[in-house]
Amino acid sequence: MNVLLVFAHPERASFVGALLDTAQRALTAAGHNVVVSDLYADGFEAAAGAADFANRANPDYLNIGAEQAHAAEHAAFAPVLQREMERVAAADLVIFLFPMWWFSVPAILKGWIDRVFAYGVAYDFERTWNHGVYRGKRAMLAFTTGAPAAVFEPDGRSGDLERVLWPLHGGVLALCGFDVLRPFTAWAVPWIQAQGREQVLAAWSRRLHDLDRETPLFFHPLEDFGEDRRLKPDVEPGTPAQHRGPRKHLD
Amino acid sequence: MNVLLVFAHPERASFVGALLDTAQRALTAAGHNVVVSDLYADGFEAAAGAADFANRANPDYLNIGAEQAHAAEHAAFAPVLQREMERVAAADLVIFLFPMWWFSVPAILKGWIDRVFAYGVAYDFERTWNHGVYRGKRAMLAFTTGAPAAVFEPDGRSGDLERVLWPLHGGVLALCGFDVLRPFTAWAVPWIQAQGREQVLAAWSRRLHDLDRETPLFFHPLEDFGEDRRLKPDVEPGTPAQHRGPRKHLD
């Protein structure tokens, strides 16, 4: 199968770099075709803007979504975006490797998402979630943290990891139709010793070897929602972000 | 009071630009001192990297956190970062104005967070949450969406807005010690007509006028957690991200 590794760390010799090395080795050894997008090495521009488009629907007013739709129709994306879009299109599996910064991806990877998962390419109003463009493909997050696992337990100081990851798991990957695999997390890497490091990398290698047998995370199909875009009354909320309880912040 | 408006939209004439105009006008009229960081106009670099530092603790290996700590100690941040850090330090209130892209901030604003909220400046191991560097300051998100409000209801298609915002509200702002005000959301702006637009901007202006009387969102003080970094048994989880129920994705 074709695997795209999107690598977003400024230091190739980092722990995330070791996750990348391990993934390249393990996947290649298993006979897969591996392509790496090394965002820092490529000097990938993070900020979506006018330079994303070879020509414009409206040169006087920059509406990114509208220009993405136009560019998708007229093959008018900047070459670097076209290349990344083709890599995603060719991939059966996309793995994002990054350090968790501020409960999310580094800006350079957010920029890859903003610019490569363009309207008209990765989604449009007719193609989202289980009807998404990338259905049939799988995706997963592989990341390091500075903090230990306990802080991301449901009652941990940082909040439940599965809720922290919802904007990425749900809002990006599942929304584009990917089957989302459980994340791989290397915890508290600044404090890990050589032996611990080898153990994590070995676990990562084993994980990659068995990915085929994994069941993806659950997201509600669009058919679970009514015309009002809310879960039908008889559907039990089944994700980390959907619920019927009271709100804590916004009621 | 001093207000910092961090504006992250590539089109100054956008709806977010109108939110910025309204905020400048309303806050200035109320006698406040307003400073704007216009990230696109400034060509703000989003990707944290070697250029963030005038000199390095370790020129051979780029650990962003370690270099931030070093730069904080030796006043060695790049001038643009130093300027933004000083703006935050001087602000009583920071408002982030942006279009919601992929359930989060645009990459250029994530980059501002990655680079300006540096270790040793905006937080360190001794100074987080209610002991955070920015305690006494307030912060809020003001953003537009393409989707209508219903999709971000607790049982909506995109998941509960307060859970979607947790990485920003909790993981960035509250973690740095800010008192976090409720967000201001301009819903479904691509489909809004001129009259609707004026109504939203008027509501935004009224909101700004009354900010002083608002109660910030609740986040657990560090004293609510045990040595294991999890909520003490007698503390009821009170945020959108902390709970004791079963997990949906990661159990």
Side-chain angles (χ1 to χ4, degrees):
Chain A
M1 88 186 156
N2 294 325
V3 185
L4 173 60
L5 305 177
V6 183
F7 172 67
H9 198 293
E11 174 56 64
R12 188 61 185 77
S14 62
F15 201 111
V16 182
L19 292 176
L20 176 64
D21 291 336
T22 299
Q24 283 187 282
R25 212 162 26 228
L27 294 165
T28 304
H32 302 305
N33 178 37
V34 179
V35 172
V36 177
S37 290
D38 182 337
L39 304 189
Y40 271 95
D42 289 351
F44 188 84
E45 169 61 46
D52 294 6
F53 313 107
N55 62 68
R56 297 267 294 276
N58 182 350
D60 299 324
Y61 182 92
L62 182 55
N63 177 322
I64 296 287
E67 295 298 338
Q68 288 180 337
H70 174 81
E73 219 171 305
H74 299 86
F77 285 106
V80 61
L81 299 184
Q82 190 63 42
R83 184 192 69 187
E84 296 300 311
M85 289 165 181
E86 285 165 11
R87 287 178 175 178
V88 176
D92 303 294
L93 167 66
V94 182
I95 305 179
F96 298 89
L97 303 109
F98 61 91
M100 179 183 272
W101 287 350
W102 295 109
F103 290 35
S104 187
V105 294
I108 201 169
L109 179 49
K110 180 55 166 59
W112 187 96
I113 293 166
D114 289 346
R115 301 175 70 215
V116 175
F117 285 171
Y119 184 91
V121 174
Y123 73 104
D124 61 37
F125 296 127
E126 309 295 315
R127 296 180 298 167
T128 56
W129 299 96
N130 58 315
H131 298 274
V133 170
Y134 296 138
R135 63 193 181 282
K137 300 180 189 295
R138 292 178 297 158
M140 73 179 293
L141 308 178
F143 57 91
T144 57
T145 70
V151 305
F152 287 107
E153 287 294 315
D155 57 357
R157 201 168 66 195
S158 297
D160 189 350
L161 182 65
E162 65 175 34
R163 296 193 187 179
V164 169
L165 295 179
W166 173 258
L168 297 164
H169 277 166
V172 179
L173 301 177
L175 191 147
C176 289
F178 284 103
D179 284 331
V180 183
L181 303 179
R182 293 168 65 97
F184 181 84
T185 311
W187 297 104
V189 297
W191 291 273
I192 220 168
Q193 304 301 316
Q195 196 193 347
R197 182 183 172 107
E198 289 314 309
Q199 285 169 354
V200 172
L201 295 176
W204 175 224
S205 189
R206 282 193 304 275
R207 176 84 194 278
L208 289 163
H209 195 268
D210 292 337
L211 281 187
D212 282 345
R213 273 170 276 174
E214 292 192 15
T215 305
L217 303 177
F218 174 80
F219 298 89
H220 286 286
L222 289 177
E223 292 70 24
D224 280 359
F225 300 92
E227 297 262 326
D228 62 356
R229 302 182 175 86
R230 298 172 68 170
L231 285 173
K232 291 174 182 168
D234 58 331
V235 176
E236 185 69 17
T239 76
Q242 278 132 346
H243 66 105
R244 290 210 173 85
R247 281 175 152 173
K248 303 297 179 77
H249 273 171
L250 299 185
D251 268 341
Chain B
M1 92 185 151
N2 294 325
V3 184
L4 173 60
L5 304 177
V6 182
F7 172 66
H9 198 293
E11 174 57 65
R12 189 60 185 78
S14 62
F15 202 110
V16 183
L19 293 177
L20 176 65
D21 292 336
T22 299
Q24 283 187 283
R25 212 163 27 228
L27 293 164
T28 304
H32 302 304
N33 178 37
V34 178
V35 172
V36 177
S37 289
D38 183 337
L39 304 189
Y40 271 96
D42 289 352
F44 188 84
E45 168 61 47
D52 294 8
F53 313 107
N55 62 68
R56 297 269 293 277
N58 182 352
D60 298 324
Y61 182 93
L62 182 55
N63 177 321
I64 295 287
E67 294 298 338
Q68 289 180 336
H70 174 82
E73 219 172 302
H74 299 86
F77 285 106
V80 62
L81 299 184
Q82 190 63 42
R83 184 191 71 188
E84 296 300 311
M85 289 165 181
E86 286 166 10
R87 287 178 175 179
V88 176
D92 302 294
L93 166 66
V94 182
I95 304 179
F96 298 90
L97 302 109
F98 61 91
M100 179 183 273
W101 287 350
W102 295 108
F103 290 35
S104 186
V105 295
I108 201 169
L109 179 48
K110 180 55 165 60
W112 187 95
I113 293 166
D114 290 344
R115 300 175 70 215
V116 176
F117 284 171
Y119 184 91
V121 174
Y123 73 105
D124 60 37
F125 297 127
E126 309 295 314
R127 297 180 296 167
T128 57
W129 299 96
N130 58 316
H131 298 275
V133 170
Y134 297 138
R135 61 194 183 281
K137 300 180 187 297
R138 290 179 299 159
M140 74 179 293
L141 308 178
F143 58 91
T144 58
T145 70
V151 306
F152 288 106
E153 287 294 315
D155 57 357
R157 202 167 64 195
S158 298
D160 189 350
L161 183 65
E162 65 176 34
R163 295 193 186 178
V164 169
L165 295 178
W166 174 258
L168 297 164
H169 277 166
V172 178
L173 301 177
L175 191 149
C176 290
F178 284 103
D179 283 332
V180 184
L181 302 180
R182 291 168 67 96
F184 182 84
T185 311
W187 297 105
V189 297
W191 291 272
I192 218 166
Q193 303 300 318
Q195 196 192 346
R197 182 182 172 106
E198 289 314 309
Q199 286 169 352
V200 172
L201 295 175
W204 175 225
S205 189
R206 283 193 304 274
R207 176 86 195 275
L208 288 162
H209 195 266
D210 291 336
L211 281 187
D212 282 345
R213 272 171 277 173
E214 292 193 15
T215 307
L217 303 177
F218 173 80
F219 298 89
H220 287 286
L222 289 178
E223 293 70 24
D224 280 359
F225 299 92
E227 297 263 327
D228 63 356
R229 302 181 175 86
R230 299 171 68 170
L231 286 172
K232 291 174 181 169
D234 58 329
V235 176
E236 184 70 17
T239 76
Q242 278 133 346
H243 67 105
R244 291 208 173 85
R247 281 175 152 173
K248 303 295 180 79
H249 273 173
L250 299 185
D251 268 342

